[in-house]
Amino acid sequence: MAQKMKKGVVRDSKKKTTKKTDVSKVSVTKKTAVKKTPVANVSQEEVLLQALRGMRDILPDEQPYWERVRKVLSHAAQEYGFQRIDTPLVEFVHLFTRSIGNQTDIVEKEMYTFQTRGGDKVALRPEFTAGIARAFIEHGMGVLPKPVKLFSVGPVYRYDRPQEGRYREFWQGNFDMFGESDPILDAQTIQLAYRVVQQLGLKNIEFQVNSIGVPDSRREYTKALLRYLEAQRGKLCQNCRDRLVTNPMRVLDCKEDKCIQLTTHAPQSLDYLDQESRDHFKRLLEYLDELELPYTINTRLVRGLDYYTKTVFEIWSSDKEGKKYSLGGGGRYDGLIESLGGEPTPAIGFGLGLDRIILEMKRTQVKPYQEAKPKVFLAQLGDMAKKKSLRLFSELEKNGILLAESFGRGSLKSQLRVANRLGVEVTIIVGQKEALDDTAILKDMVSGTQETVTHERLVDAVKKILKSNQLLQG
Ligand code: AMP
C-alpha cells in the first residue's frame, strides 16, 4: 500500500482521502509519528507511521485484559461443549450479501470489499456467522451429532465511523449451535452469554430479548409497520426515510431521539407472530425464568440482519449516567443454512464485542489477568557458570518451577537487583567455584539463610523451600 501512495498523500484519515499534507510539517506525536527519511533504497516515498483510522495496536500493557477475556471465553466454550473453529478473514462478497442481506448497513455501507488479482470479489468478514455457516456446509458438518457447537474468536471489519468503543477492526467472540430448534437451546445460549459476562466480573448487565418470527409472519408485520411509519415519514431522519424503502424494521434500531419517540407506539413484532414462533418465545421465557436469568423484553429489538428468525437478544451495560453500550447480541437463524444451499438446519448463536467488554472491564475496574509470578531467580557469574546455568534453567523449568533469570547481565550485583525487584522467594547463584563443583548456592530470601547444594539435589531443595514458605504464609 505504502509503496503505491503518492508522496505526502494521507489516505483515509477522516475525510482527508485525497488531501495533500506536507508531512514535513506534521508534528511527531504518538498518534501522528511520521518517518521523515525515505525507506531503504526501495522507494523514495514517505511511510506514514500510524495505524489506519479505526484500527489500533493492542499493546503489551493491555494484554492482561485480553488474556483474561480469552481465558474466560475458551473456558466457557469448553464447559458448554463448543469446539473451536477458525475460518478465513476473507470470504467471497456473495456469502455476506446472501446471508446478512443486501439492504443492511453492514453490507451497504460497512464492508471492506475488494477484487483479488485473480478477479474474485471478496470481503473482510464483518461478522462470524456467515463464514461459519459456509464452513458448516462445505465440510458436511450436518452429519455430526446434533447440536454441532462451534466457537470462534478473532477480528472483524466494518467501515464504521470510528469513536470510542467503535472501531473498524474489532474483535468478537462467537458461539454458534446448529441442528436444534428447541427453545431450550435459546435459553442455554443466553445462559452461556450470562456466564461469560459474569465470569468476567461485569455488573449492571441487562439482557434484552424479543422474537421477530419467521419470514412469513414478518412480511405481515413489516406491512403494518410500514403503514405506521409512512404516516410519520416527514418527521423521520433522512436515514430512516431511506430505510422505509430498503428495510423498515431498521427504523426501530435508529439512535436518533426523534425516531425513537416516533416509533414508541409503532406496531410490535410480537403481535404478528405465527403460532409456532409465539409458542417458541413463550417457552423460551419460561426457561429463562426457570434458570432465574433476568431479562427484559424489548419489542424494538430487531437486530437488522436478514438471517435472524424467532429469538433475538442483546446484552447491554450502562454507566452511571445511564448511557448504554451494547456488548453483544445474537439470535436464531433457522433459515440461513438452507438459504446458502445446505440441508434445512435450525441454528442459534451470538457474538460478543471484546473491545467493548474490555472497555467495560476497565471502566468498572475489573482486574485483568495476572500472570503467575516467578518465585525463583537464577543468577550466574562467569562463562562456565552461564553455560551450566542454561542447563539448570531448563531442568528447573521442566520440573514445573517458574523462574526468572538475567543471563544478559554480567555483574552479580545487577542480577541480584533484578531478583529483588521481582520479589522472588529463592535465589540460586552459580559462581565460578560452583560451576567447577557442579553445585549452586541456594538463598532463601524469606528467612535469609543459604546453603550449597549439588545439581542433582537442586530441584528438590528449591521445592522444599517454596513449600515451607507456603506453609508459613498459611
Ligand atoms: P453486532 O454483530 O453488530 O450485533 O455486534 C456484536 C457486538 O460487537 C456489539 O454488541 C458490540 O459489542 C461489538 N461491536 C459492533 N460494532 C463494533 C465496532 N464498530 N467497534 C467495536 N465493537 C463493535
Side-chain angles (χ1 to χ4, degrees):
M1 268 294 200
Q3 303 206 355
K4 284 197 182 154
M5 277 203 284
K6 281 194 186 162
K7 188 169 184 180
V9 172
V10 178
R11 284 220 169 167
D12 193 27
S13 291
K14 287 212 173 127
K15 291 208 168 166
K16 293 179 198 157
T17 324
T18 52
K19 190 177 155 201
K20 291 198 175 173
T21 305
D22 180 354
V23 283
S24 63
K25 287 186 187 150
V26 177
S27 64
V28 183
T29 63
K30 221 176 169 187
K31 283 230 153 138
T32 56
V34 175
K35 188 169 182 177
K36 293 183 183 170
T37 45
V39 189
N41 291 327
V42 182
S43 144
Q44 293 299 305
E45 292 163 7
E46 302 285 348
V47 176
L48 264 181
L49 289 183
Q50 68 183 54
L52 290 176
R53 196 160 122 78
M55 303 198 181
R56 68 219 161 92
D57 304 306
I58 301 170
L59 298 174
D61 276 2
E62 228 190 324
Q63 292 296 339
Y65 288 96
W66 287 86
E67 191 56 23
R68 174 148 184 202
V69 172
R70 275 193 286 261
K71 279 202 154 51
V72 165
L73 284 176
S74 56
H75 185 70
Q78 221 174 14
E79 269 185 347
Y80 280 74
F82 281 74
Q83 287 187 304
R84 169 103 188 200
I85 182 168
D86 290 302
T87 57
L89 279 181
V90 189
E91 302 268 4
F92 287 112
V93 172
H94 257 66
L95 176 69
F96 299 118
T97 48
R98 286 263 301 275
S99 39
I100 298 170
N102 258 321
Q103 262 117 36
T104 55
D105 282 356
I106 293 187
V107 166
E108 273 187 331
K109 304 184 195 150
E110 297 171 1
M111 258 201 313
Y112 278 83
T113 49
F114 58 99
Q115 194 155 338
T116 65
R117 286 167 191 267
D120 290 331
K121 291 194 177 113
V122 300
L124 299 183
R125 64 179 176 209
E127 54 103 53
F128 273 96
T129 301
I132 288 168
R134 193 260 315 133
F136 180 89
I137 301 169
E138 185 175 342
H139 302 287
M141 291 191 222
V143 299
L144 298 174
K146 314 271 182 321
V148 179
K149 300 179 177 182
L150 300 172
F151 158 65
S152 220
V153 60
V156 296
Y157 299 83
R158 292 185 197 169
Y159 200 83
D160 212 340
R161 195 179 322 139
Q163 51 183 270
E164 179 163 51
R166 186 180 298 155
Y167 311 106
R168 288 178 176 172
E169 179 188 64
F170 59 98
W171 286 65
Q172 285 192 343
N174 196 80
F175 295 82
D176 288 289
M177 288 201 250
F178 297 90
E180 300 268 10
S181 54
D182 196 301
I184 192 135
L185 273 282
D186 306 38
Q188 204 191 19
T189 305
I190 292 174
Q191 188 191 33
L192 166 59
Y194 251 109
R195 178 97 180 166
V196 171
V197 291
Q198 267 172 356
Q199 283 188 349
L200 284 169
L202 298 178
K203 307 241 162 57
N204 290 332
I205 301 295
E206 185 190 355
F207 271 65
Q208 299 183 347
V209 294
N210 192 22
S211 175
I212 54 170
V214 291
D216 275 349
S217 61
R218 197 145 67 227
R219 250 188 299 280
E220 285 309 304
Y221 169 58
T222 313
K223 266 192 227 160
L225 181 64
L226 199 54
R227 265 197 307 275
Y228 175 89
L229 294 173
E230 281 291 359
Q232 324 261 357
R233 163 182 273 276
K235 298 183 207 149
L236 292 170
C237 73
Q238 185 54 49
N239 259 344
C240 283
R241 269 180 245 166
D242 296 343
R243 285 175 182 140
L244 290 184
V245 184
T246 57
N247 195 346
M249 274 168 72
R250 284 304 315 247
V251 175
L252 299 177
D253 243 3
C254 183
K255 306 289 177 285
E256 298 261 341
D257 281 346
K258 60 177 176 184
C259 299
I260 295 178
Q261 270 168 23
L262 282 173
T263 51
T264 312
H265 301 294
Q268 303 181 352
S269 60
L270 289 181
D271 294 330
Y272 289 81
L273 294 184
D274 53 289
Q275 193 57 43
E276 200 206 319
S277 300
R278 194 189 303 271
D279 290 345
H280 187 98
F281 192 54
K282 191 168 153 265
R283 282 175 60 205
L284 164 64
L285 300 186
E286 284 166 7
Y287 288 130
L288 292 178
D289 291 337
E290 183 67 30
L291 289 167
E292 295 184 13
L293 296 177
Y295 61 86
T296 48
I297 297 175
N298 176 2
T299 52
R300 309 165 63 92
L301 182 62
V302 292
R303 300 237 352 109
L305 313 191
D306 276 5
Y307 57 60
Y308 285 116
T309 50
K310 297 182 181 164
T311 309
V312 285
F313 68 95
E314 229 160 57
I315 306 156
W316 294 85
S317 68
S318 50
D319 63 18
K320 276 197 208 111
E321 289 77 44
K323 199 164 170 233
K324 292 192 167 189
Y325 305 88
S326 161
L327 301 184
R332 191 162 265 291
Y333 49 95
D334 290 346
L336 179 61
I337 297 286
E338 190 179 8
S339 77
L340 291 176
E343 295 291 317
T345 311
I348 180 161
F350 70 97
L352 293 171
L354 307 190
D355 307 73
R356 297 241 181 114
I357 283 183
I358 285 167
L359 281 175
E360 186 61 14
M361 284 168 71
K362 288 183 178 168
R363 196 180 65 76
T364 55
Q365 299 182 348
V366 168
K367 283 205 178 72
Y369 175 74
Q370 294 220 306
E371 290 281 355
K373 280 197 187 146
K375 292 187 174 162
V376 180
F377 190 87
L378 178 58
Q380 31 66 43
L381 194 65
D383 279 349
M384 194 176 176
K386 200 181 262 194
K387 261 190 224 144
K388 296 226 161 153
S389 298
L390 211 53
R391 207 172 49 74
L392 286 181
F393 185 90
S394 101
E395 191 64 26
L396 288 154
E397 217 223 320
K398 259 192 273 170
N399 280 280
I401 295 169
L402 193 60
L403 76 164
E405 42 68 37
S406 191
F407 288 154
R409 289 184 196 222
S411 89
L412 190 59
K413 201 163 151 198
S414 69
Q415 291 182 62
L416 294 180
R417 215 178 295 133
V418 177
N420 262 332
R421 208 179 54 228
L422 291 173
V424 293
E425 293 176 24
V426 181
T427 301
I428 305 167
I429 303 165
V430 185
Q432 283 162 1
K433 179 174 173 303
E434 290 77 27
L436 282 172
D437 296 352
D438 277 342
T439 58
I441 298 171
L442 257 191
K443 186 163 175 166
D444 182 339
M445 310 291 275
V446 179
S447 66
T449 57
Q450 70 177 52
E451 60 178 319
T452 301
V453 297
T454 60
H455 285 186
E456 290 87 62
R457 277 199 50 236
L458 186 64
V459 170
D460 285 343
V462 169
K463 281 188 175 169
K464 201 169 143 202
I465 300 180
L466 292 179
K467 199 165 172 200
S468 68
N469 283 346
Q470 208 174 9
L471 289 176
L472 276 179
Q473 287 155 9

Short mmCIF file of all heavy atoms in Angstrom, two decimals, residues 373-416:
data_model
loop_
_atom_site.label_atom_id
_atom_site.label_comp_id
_atom_site.label_asym_id
_atom_site.label_seq_id
_atom_site.Cartn_x
_atom_site.Cartn_y
_atom_site.Cartn_z
N LYS A 373 3.65 -15.23 38.99
CA LYS A 373 4.96 -14.58 39.10
C LYS A 373 6.03 -15.61 39.41
O LYS A 373 5.80 -16.52 40.21
CB LYS A 373 4.91 -13.57 40.24
CG LYS A 373 4.27 -12.28 39.87
CD LYS A 373 4.67 -11.26 40.90
CE LYS A 373 3.93 -9.96 40.70
NZ LYS A 373 3.67 -9.32 41.96
N PRO A 374 7.23 -15.45 38.84
CA PRO A 374 8.29 -16.39 39.19
C PRO A 374 8.68 -16.23 40.66
O PRO A 374 8.72 -15.12 41.17
CB PRO A 374 9.45 -15.98 38.27
CG PRO A 374 9.12 -14.63 37.78
CD PRO A 374 7.64 -14.44 37.88
N LYS A 375 8.95 -17.37 41.30
CA LYS A 375 9.33 -17.32 42.72
C LYS A 375 10.81 -17.58 42.91
O LYS A 375 11.32 -17.54 44.03
CB LYS A 375 8.52 -18.36 43.50
CG LYS A 375 7.05 -18.01 43.56
CD LYS A 375 6.32 -18.96 44.47
CE LYS A 375 4.88 -18.51 44.62
NZ LYS A 375 4.03 -19.54 45.12
N VAL A 376 11.46 -17.93 41.80
CA VAL A 376 12.88 -18.30 41.88
C VAL A 376 13.67 -17.49 40.86
O VAL A 376 13.19 -17.24 39.75
CB VAL A 376 13.03 -19.82 41.59
CG1 VAL A 376 14.50 -20.24 41.66
CG2 VAL A 376 12.18 -20.63 42.54
N PHE A 377 14.86 -17.06 41.25
CA PHE A 377 15.73 -16.34 40.31
C PHE A 377 17.06 -17.08 40.21
O PHE A 377 17.61 -17.54 41.20
CB PHE A 377 15.98 -14.92 40.81
CG PHE A 377 16.68 -14.05 39.79
CD1 PHE A 377 15.96 -13.36 38.84
CD2 PHE A 377 18.07 -13.96 39.78
CE1 PHE A 377 16.60 -12.58 37.89
CE2 PHE A 377 18.72 -13.19 38.83
CZ PHE A 377 17.98 -12.49 37.87
N LEU A 378 17.54 -17.21 38.97
CA LEU A 378 18.80 -17.92 38.75
C LEU A 378 19.86 -16.90 38.33
O LEU A 378 19.76 -16.29 37.27
CB LEU A 378 18.58 -18.98 37.64
CG LEU A 378 19.77 -19.80 37.21
CD1 LEU A 378 20.40 -20.56 38.37
CD2 LEU A 378 19.37 -20.79 36.12
N ALA A 379 20.88 -16.74 39.18
CA ALA A 379 21.96 -15.79 38.87
C ALA A 379 23.25 -16.56 38.61
O ALA A 379 23.47 -17.64 39.18
CB ALA A 379 22.15 -14.83 40.04
N GLN A 380 24.12 -16.02 37.76
CA GLN A 380 25.38 -16.73 37.45
C GLN A 380 26.51 -15.74 37.23
O GLN A 380 26.27 -14.58 36.90
CB GLN A 380 25.20 -17.65 36.23
CG GLN A 380 24.19 -17.21 35.21
CD GLN A 380 24.57 -15.93 34.48
OE1 GLN A 380 25.73 -15.77 34.09
NE2 GLN A 380 23.63 -15.04 34.33
N LEU A 381 27.71 -16.23 37.39
CA LEU A 381 28.87 -15.36 37.22
C LEU A 381 29.95 -16.10 36.46
O LEU A 381 30.41 -17.16 36.89
CB LEU A 381 29.39 -14.95 38.60
CG LEU A 381 30.37 -13.78 38.58
CD1 LEU A 381 29.69 -12.51 38.11
CD2 LEU A 381 30.95 -13.56 39.99
N GLY A 382 30.35 -15.57 35.30
CA GLY A 382 31.42 -16.18 34.51
C GLY A 382 30.86 -17.08 33.41
O GLY A 382 29.72 -17.55 33.50
N ASP A 383 31.71 -17.32 32.39
CA ASP A 383 31.25 -18.07 31.21
C ASP A 383 30.80 -19.49 31.50
O ASP A 383 29.77 -19.95 31.03
CB ASP A 383 32.38 -18.12 30.16
CG ASP A 383 32.39 -16.83 29.38
OD1 ASP A 383 31.41 -16.05 29.53
OD2 ASP A 383 33.37 -16.59 28.65
N MET A 384 31.63 -20.16 32.29
CA MET A 384 31.32 -21.57 32.57
C MET A 384 30.01 -21.66 33.36
O MET A 384 29.16 -22.51 33.09
CB MET A 384 32.46 -22.17 33.38
CG MET A 384 32.41 -23.66 33.44
SD MET A 384 33.89 -24.15 34.32
CE MET A 384 33.65 -25.86 34.43
N ALA A 385 29.84 -20.76 34.33
CA ALA A 385 28.63 -20.76 35.15
C ALA A 385 27.41 -20.49 34.27
O ALA A 385 26.34 -21.06 34.44
CB ALA A 385 28.74 -19.70 36.23
N LYS A 386 27.60 -19.60 33.31
CA LYS A 386 26.49 -19.26 32.41
C LYS A 386 26.02 -20.51 31.65
O LYS A 386 24.83 -20.79 31.57
CB LYS A 386 26.97 -18.19 31.42
CG LYS A 386 25.83 -17.43 30.80
CD LYS A 386 26.31 -16.40 29.83
CE LYS A 386 26.36 -15.03 30.46
NZ LYS A 386 26.50 -13.95 29.53
N LYS A 387 27.00 -21.25 31.12
CA LYS A 387 26.67 -22.46 30.36
C LYS A 387 25.91 -23.45 31.24
O LYS A 387 24.89 -24.00 30.86
CB LYS A 387 27.95 -23.13 29.84
CG LYS A 387 28.22 -22.80 28.39
CD LYS A 387 29.33 -23.65 27.85
CE LYS A 387 30.28 -22.78 27.04
NZ LYS A 387 31.67 -23.15 27.15
N LYS A 388 26.47 -23.67 32.43
CA LYS A 388 25.82 -24.65 33.33
C LYS A 388 24.42 -24.17 33.74
O LYS A 388 23.51 -24.98 33.89
CB LYS A 388 26.69 -24.87 34.56
CG LYS A 388 28.03 -25.50 34.19
CD LYS A 388 28.41 -26.64 35.07
CE LYS A 388 29.46 -27.48 34.36
NZ LYS A 388 30.34 -28.20 35.24
N SER A 389 24.31 -22.85 33.91
CA SER A 389 23.01 -22.30 34.34
C SER A 389 21.92 -22.55 33.29
O SER A 389 20.76 -22.77 33.62
CB SER A 389 23.10 -20.80 34.58
OG SER A 389 24.00 -20.56 35.61
N LEU A 390 22.36 -22.50 32.04
CA LEU A 390 21.40 -22.72 30.96
C LEU A 390 20.72 -24.09 31.13
O LEU A 390 19.51 -24.24 30.97
CB LEU A 390 22.15 -22.65 29.62
CG LEU A 390 21.40 -22.15 28.42
CD1 LEU A 390 20.75 -20.80 28.69
CD2 LEU A 390 22.37 -22.02 27.24
N ARG A 391 21.57 -25.09 31.43
CA ARG A 391 21.04 -26.44 31.62
C ARG A 391 20.16 -26.52 32.88
O ARG A 391 19.10 -27.10 32.89
CB ARG A 391 22.20 -27.44 31.70
CG ARG A 391 21.81 -28.84 31.24
CD ARG A 391 22.99 -29.76 31.13
NE ARG A 391 23.85 -29.76 32.31
CZ ARG A 391 23.53 -30.35 33.46
NH1 ARG A 391 22.39 -30.99 33.58
NH2 ARG A 391 24.36 -30.31 34.49
N LEU A 392 20.66 -25.86 33.95
CA LEU A 392 19.88 -25.87 35.20
C LEU A 392 18.51 -25.21 35.00
O LEU A 392 17.50 -25.67 35.52
CB LEU A 392 20.64 -25.10 36.31
CG LEU A 392 21.84 -25.80 36.90
CD1 LEU A 392 22.46 -24.92 37.99
CD2 LEU A 392 21.44 -27.15 37.51
N PHE A 393 18.52 -24.11 34.23
CA PHE A 393 17.26 -23.40 33.97
C PHE A 393 16.23 -24.35 33.38
O PHE A 393 15.09 -24.44 33.84
CB PHE A 393 17.52 -22.23 33.01
CG PHE A 393 16.31 -21.37 32.77
CD1 PHE A 393 16.05 -20.28 33.57
CD2 PHE A 393 15.41 -21.65 31.74
CE1 PHE A 393 14.93 -19.48 33.37
CE2 PHE A 393 14.29 -20.87 31.53
CZ PHE A 393 14.07 -19.77 32.35
N SER A 394 16.68 -25.10 32.35
CA SER A 394 15.70 -25.96 31.69
C SER A 394 15.30 -27.12 32.61
O SER A 394 14.16 -27.57 32.59
CB SER A 394 16.21 -26.42 30.32
OG SER A 394 16.70 -27.70 30.37
N GLU A 395 16.23 -27.59 33.43
CA GLU A 395 15.93 -28.66 34.38
C GLU A 395 14.84 -28.21 35.39
O GLU A 395 13.86 -28.92 35.62
CB GLU A 395 17.23 -28.98 35.14
CG GLU A 395 17.21 -30.23 35.98
CD GLU A 395 17.03 -31.50 35.15
OE1 GLU A 395 17.43 -31.47 33.96
OE2 GLU A 395 16.47 -32.47 35.69
N LEU A 396 15.04 -27.02 35.93
CA LEU A 396 14.08 -26.50 36.92
C LEU A 396 12.72 -26.27 36.27
O LEU A 396 11.67 -26.60 36.82
CB LEU A 396 14.61 -25.18 37.51
CG LEU A 396 15.79 -25.34 38.47
CD1 LEU A 396 16.65 -24.08 38.51
CD2 LEU A 396 15.29 -25.67 39.88
N GLU A 397 12.76 -25.69 35.07
CA GLU A 397 11.53 -25.38 34.37
C GLU A 397 10.73 -26.64 34.05
O GLU A 397 9.52 -26.68 34.20
CB GLU A 397 11.91 -24.66 33.09
CG GLU A 397 10.97 -23.57 32.70
CD GLU A 397 10.69 -23.62 31.24
OE1 GLU A 397 11.64 -23.87 30.47
OE2 GLU A 397 9.52 -23.45 30.88
N LYS A 398 11.48 -27.69 33.61
CA LYS A 398 10.83 -28.97 33.30
C LYS A 398 10.12 -29.52 34.53
O LYS A 398 9.15 -30.24 34.44
CB LYS A 398 11.88 -29.99 32.82
CG LYS A 398 11.88 -30.13 31.30
CD LYS A 398 12.69 -31.32 30.87
CE LYS A 398 14.15 -30.92 30.71
NZ LYS A 398 15.10 -31.96 30.52
N ASN A 399 10.66 -29.20 35.69
CA ASN A 399 10.06 -29.69 36.93
C ASN A 399 8.99 -28.76 37.48
O ASN A 399 8.65 -28.81 38.66
CB ASN A 399 11.16 -29.92 37.97
CG ASN A 399 11.86 -31.25 37.73
OD1 ASN A 399 11.36 -32.30 38.10
ND2 ASN A 399 13.00 -31.20 37.06
N GLY A 400 8.51 -27.89 36.62
CA GLY A 400 7.36 -27.05 36.98
C GLY A 400 7.70 -25.87 37.88
O GLY A 400 6.81 -25.31 38.51
N ILE A 401 8.99 -25.50 37.94
CA ILE A 401 9.34 -24.34 38.78
C ILE A 401 9.43 -23.11 37.87
O ILE A 401 10.22 -23.09 36.91
CB ILE A 401 10.69 -24.60 39.50
CG1 ILE A 401 10.52 -25.76 40.48
CG2 ILE A 401 11.16 -23.34 40.24
CD1 ILE A 401 11.79 -26.28 41.07
N LEU A 402 8.59 -22.13 38.18
CA LEU A 402 8.56 -20.92 37.36
C LEU A 402 9.70 -20.02 37.81
O LEU A 402 9.74 -19.60 38.97
CB LEU A 402 7.22 -20.23 37.57
CG LEU A 402 6.86 -19.13 36.60
CD1 LEU A 402 6.81 -19.65 35.18
CD2 LEU A 402 5.50 -18.54 36.98
N LEU A 403 10.68 -19.77 36.92
CA LEU A 403 11.82 -18.99 37.39
C LEU A 403 12.22 -17.92 36.40
O LEU A 403 11.88 -17.98 35.22
CB LEU A 403 13.00 -19.91 37.74
CG LEU A 403 13.86 -20.55 36.66
CD1 LEU A 403 15.14 -21.05 37.29
CD2 LEU A 403 13.14 -21.72 36.01
N ALA A 404 12.92 -16.92 36.92
CA ALA A 404 13.40 -15.83 36.09
C ALA A 404 14.92 -15.85 36.10
O ALA A 404 15.54 -16.48 36.96
CB ALA A 404 12.90 -14.51 36.66
N GLU A 405 15.52 -15.18 35.11
CA GLU A 405 16.98 -15.09 35.05
C GLU A 405 17.33 -13.77 34.39
O GLU A 405 16.44 -13.07 33.92
CB GLU A 405 17.58 -16.27 34.29
CG GLU A 405 16.85 -16.67 33.02
CD GLU A 405 16.92 -15.67 31.92
OE1 GLU A 405 17.98 -15.04 31.78
OE2 GLU A 405 15.92 -15.50 31.21
N SER A 406 18.58 -13.48 34.34
CA SER A 406 19.02 -12.29 33.65
C SER A 406 20.37 -12.59 33.00
O SER A 406 21.38 -11.99 33.34
CB SER A 406 19.10 -11.16 34.67
OG SER A 406 19.28 -9.95 34.02
N PHE A 407 20.34 -13.61 32.10
CA PHE A 407 21.59 -14.11 31.51
C PHE A 407 22.40 -13.01 30.81
O PHE A 407 23.60 -13.10 30.70
CB PHE A 407 21.30 -15.23 30.50
CG PHE A 407 20.88 -16.53 31.14
CD1 PHE A 407 20.09 -17.44 30.45
CD2 PHE A 407 21.29 -16.85 32.44
CE1 PHE A 407 19.71 -18.64 31.04
CE2 PHE A 407 20.91 -18.05 33.04
CZ PHE A 407 20.10 -18.95 32.33
N GLY A 408 21.68 -12.01 30.33
CA GLY A 408 22.37 -10.95 29.57
C GLY A 408 23.24 -10.05 30.45
O GLY A 408 24.09 -9.33 29.95
N ARG A 409 22.99 -10.05 31.74
CA ARG A 409 23.72 -9.12 32.61
C ARG A 409 24.97 -9.77 33.18
O ARG A 409 24.96 -10.93 33.58
CB ARG A 409 22.84 -8.66 33.76
CG ARG A 409 21.80 -7.75 33.24
CD ARG A 409 20.96 -7.19 34.32
NE ARG A 409 19.78 -6.67 33.64
CZ ARG A 409 19.22 -5.53 33.93
NH1 ARG A 409 19.69 -4.79 34.90
NH2 ARG A 409 18.17 -5.13 33.27
N GLY A 410 26.04 -8.99 33.22
CA GLY A 410 27.32 -9.53 33.67
C GLY A 410 27.44 -9.58 35.18
O GLY A 410 27.65 -10.66 35.75
N SER A 411 27.26 -8.44 35.83
CA SER A 411 27.63 -8.40 37.25
C SER A 411 26.57 -9.07 38.13
O SER A 411 25.36 -8.99 37.85
CB SER A 411 27.85 -6.95 37.69
OG SER A 411 26.63 -6.42 38.14
N LEU A 412 27.08 -9.73 39.14
CA LEU A 412 26.19 -10.42 40.06
C LEU A 412 25.28 -9.41 40.76
O LEU A 412 24.10 -9.66 40.98
CB LEU A 412 27.03 -11.18 41.11
CG LEU A 412 26.27 -12.15 42.00
CD1 LEU A 412 25.57 -13.21 41.18
CD2 LEU A 412 27.19 -12.79 43.01
N LYS A 413 25.87 -8.24 41.04
CA LYS A 413 25.11 -7.22 41.76
C LYS A 413 23.84 -6.81 40.96
O LYS A 413 22.74 -6.74 41.50
CB LYS A 413 26.00 -5.99 41.95
CG LYS A 413 25.56 -5.11 43.07
CD LYS A 413 26.68 -4.19 43.46
CE LYS A 413 26.08 -2.90 44.00
NZ LYS A 413 27.04 -1.83 44.00
N SER A 414 24.05 -6.58 39.66
CA SER A 414 22.88 -6.14 38.89
C SER A 414 21.86 -7.27 38.75
O SER A 414 20.66 -7.02 38.70
CB SER A 414 23.29 -5.58 37.52
OG SER A 414 23.78 -6.61 36.73
N GLN A 415 22.34 -8.51 38.70
CA GLN A 415 21.39 -9.64 38.63
C GLN A 415 20.58 -9.73 39.93
O GLN A 415 19.37 -9.93 39.91
CB GLN A 415 22.13 -10.95 38.42
CG GLN A 415 22.78 -11.06 37.04
CD GLN A 415 23.46 -12.39 36.86
OE1 GLN A 415 22.83 -13.43 36.91
NE2 GLN A 415 24.77 -12.36 36.67
N LEU A 416 21.26 -9.54 41.06
CA LEU A 416 20.55 -9.64 42.34
C LEU A 416 19.55 -8.49 42.50
O LEU A 416 18.50 -8.65 43.12
CB LEU A 416 21.55 -9.68 43.51
CG LEU A 416 22.42 -10.94 43.52
CD1 LEU A 416 23.39 -10.95 44.69
CD2 LEU A 416 21.56 -12.23 43.56
#
